[in-house]
Amino acid sequence: MLLAACGRETVAGDDPSSPDAFIDALMQRYAGDVPGAAVLVIRDGQPVFRKSYGMAELETGRPATADTHYRLASVSKQFTAAAILLLAEDGKLSIDDPVRRWLPSLPPAADAITIRHLLSHTGGLVDYEDLMPAGQTAQLHDIDVLRLLEREDRLYFAPGSDYRYSNSGYALLALIVGEASGQDFAGFLRQHIFLPMGMDGTYAHQDGVDEVPERAYGYSSVDGRWQRTDQSLTSAVLGDGGIYSSVDELAKWDAALYDERLLKAESLRMAFSPATVTPEPHAPHYGFGWRIDGDMLWHSGESIGFRNVILRLPDQRLTVIVLTNRNGPEPYDDAVKIADLYLPTEARLNPDRQ
């Protein structure tokens, strides 16, 4: 039923106070010949709003649709975490394994770091973005992140003693998936998550290896004009943000998080439970690949030319997904406003909204 309903885009009615009209007005900045967006609202397992705006590719005039695949950036981290949990269920690894068991070339400073620490951003690893040599012109891959960290026998803090959001940690998790499974990370995701979930067009994208269908290209506003800024030096690192997907395919992922068709109940519980406290706004806790704010599970994704968010309220059976192919604004606030349209007054995320 969800797939059938996902075949139709919502058309706003004449009532300016309706949720559809409110969302259309909210997303007006994405409409027309500009980098666009896709919005999907799922309530009780059914899409109640599904619409795309603007362009997936300005140069060809190709419009965005619900089938457009955006670079998820850090929304990818929930898939990296799921891959680790699947391997733990199969006995291929333990989340309490020392990271150096799988990546022994890391320096002694990393002795106490476990996979659990990487999942929850509590390992203290140095940010690989700060270790890139001046004059770097070739894109980095996950293995290059390891090579950079091999030369840094230091941490920001003792593992488990603090929180610092770490793209380095999730790049290493992708390498651990490869070591424990005997497959490359992208191939493992494809075989064990994407294809079983019917997410046929979702890839941990590798140039020259796969082709993203209906691909959105990223843009940035520079001096009042849109310029293509689709790739950066870090865009080929997969574990921290390299997955491309569409709102329709993310609806299948969302559905799988309500039952055990992919992960067992205990794995889902660990992913969705606070593993650490954070100083981040709207995210007092972090689980495994998910920010946690009370009953809300969410994650943003920001990279050059893309800004995204997935926001889930499992107790309310409500999910809001906003994917965009531009450098701003961040869509978190918009997603909260959209979610509040479908929540009872006492459950609204922004209680001040009238």
Side-chain angles (χ1 to χ4, degrees):
M1 292 176 65
L2 183 148
L3 294 180
C6 274
R8 300 184 299 274
E9 290 217 354
T10 304
V11 177
D14 295 330
D15 182 0
S17 66
S18 70
D20 292 3
F22 179 91
I23 298 171
D24 271 351
L26 188 68
M27 302 300 292
Q28 188 60 38
R29 66 169 71 95
Y30 297 96
D33 296 330
V34 294
V39 179
L40 178 65
V41 182
I42 306 167
R43 184 169 61 178
D44 295 326
Q46 300 298 316
V48 293
F49 185 92
R50 172 184 178 271
K51 192 167 182 178
S52 298
Y53 304 85
M55 295 289 158
E57 186 175 13
L58 294 182
E59 293 80 4
T60 63
R62 179 165 53 87
T65 73
D67 293 326
T68 298
H69 286 66
Y70 298 78
R71 184 168 188 258
L72 297 185
S74 286
V75 174
S76 302
K77 287 182 170 68
Q78 59 203 256
F79 294 98
T80 304
I84 290 287
L85 291 169
L86 280 172
L87 289 166
E89 289 180 359
D90 289 342
K92 299 290 182 63
L93 55 75
S94 166
I95 65 171
D96 292 311
D97 283 343
V99 171
R100 290 190 75 201
R101 173 187 171 185
W102 297 102
L103 304 173
S105 63
L106 286 168
D111 277 350
I113 302 176
T114 66
I115 292 174
R116 185 187 297 269
H117 291 140
L118 299 188
L119 289 166
S120 58
H121 301 287
T122 56
L125 286 170
V126 177
D127 294 330
Y128 75 82
E129 298 94 333
D130 294 337
L131 302 177
M132 294 166 57
Q136 176 88 26
T137 57
Q139 282 191 319
L140 271 67
H141 297 80
D142 300 81
I143 191 64
D144 298 313
V145 174
L146 176 61
R147 298 291 176 254
L148 291 172
L149 293 173
E150 287 171 352
R151 302 197 291 265
E152 294 293 319
D153 195 19
R154 63 186 177 96
L155 302 174
Y156 290 129
F157 49 80
S161 68
D162 205 348
Y163 168 94
R164 181 178 173 125
Y165 189 84
S166 177
N167 287 318
S168 295
Y170 270 75
L172 295 189
L173 286 171
L175 296 175
I176 292 171
V177 169
E179 292 293 326
S181 68
Q183 297 179 262
D184 66 279
F185 176 68
F188 182 88
L189 290 180
R190 189 88 177 141
Q191 180 179 345
H192 296 278
I193 298 180
F194 301 151
L195 292 181
M197 295 299 100
M199 301 168 67
D200 296 4
T202 299
Y203 290 90
H205 173 56
Q206 304 170 92
D207 278 341
V209 177
D210 59 73
E211 187 170 342
V212 177
E214 297 297 323
R215 176 176 172 178
Y217 290 91
Y219 298 87
S220 296
S221 179
V222 180
D223 296 329
R225 300 183 65 182
W226 291 108
Q227 294 186 12
R228 185 182 286 205
T229 55
D230 185 69
Q231 294 284 299
S232 72
L233 293 178
T234 63
S235 292
V237 179
L238 300 182
D240 65 348
I243 294 173
Y244 281 74
S245 193
S246 67
V247 290
D248 279 359
E249 296 199 351
L250 289 175
K252 300 173 184 179
W253 168 245
D254 175 69
L257 299 178
Y258 283 106
D259 56 39
E260 296 187 89
R261 73 187 75 178
L262 179 66
L263 289 167
K264 295 179 181 177
E266 177 59 18
S267 294
L268 292 171
R269 186 197 65 77
M270 287 192 292
F272 299 154
S273 296
T276 186
V277 297
T278 93
E280 296 179 353
H282 315 299
H285 298 95
Y286 199 96
F288 294 167
W290 289 94
R291 293 184 169 109
I292 303 170
D293 187 2
D295 295 332
M296 182 172 70
L297 306 167
W298 71 281
H299 215 290
S300 57
E302 297 91 34
S303 68
I304 188 168
F306 294 91
R307 296 291 185 271
N308 313 302
V309 68
I310 179 170
L311 186 159
R312 302 183 71 243
L313 291 150
D315 290 349
Q316 300 289 334
R317 302 283 296 188
L318 180 69
T319 297
V320 177
I321 302 167
V322 183
L323 306 180
T324 82
N325 60 323
R326 58 171 63 184
N327 65 322
E330 305 292 348
Y332 171 83
D333 287 341
D334 288 344
V336 167
K337 293 174 183 176
I338 292 169
D340 278 345
L341 297 171
Y342 300 92
L343 291 171
T345 302
E346 65 275 10
R348 283 179 179 165
L349 304 175
N350 180 4
D352 295 330
R353 180 181 176 273
Q354 299 300 314

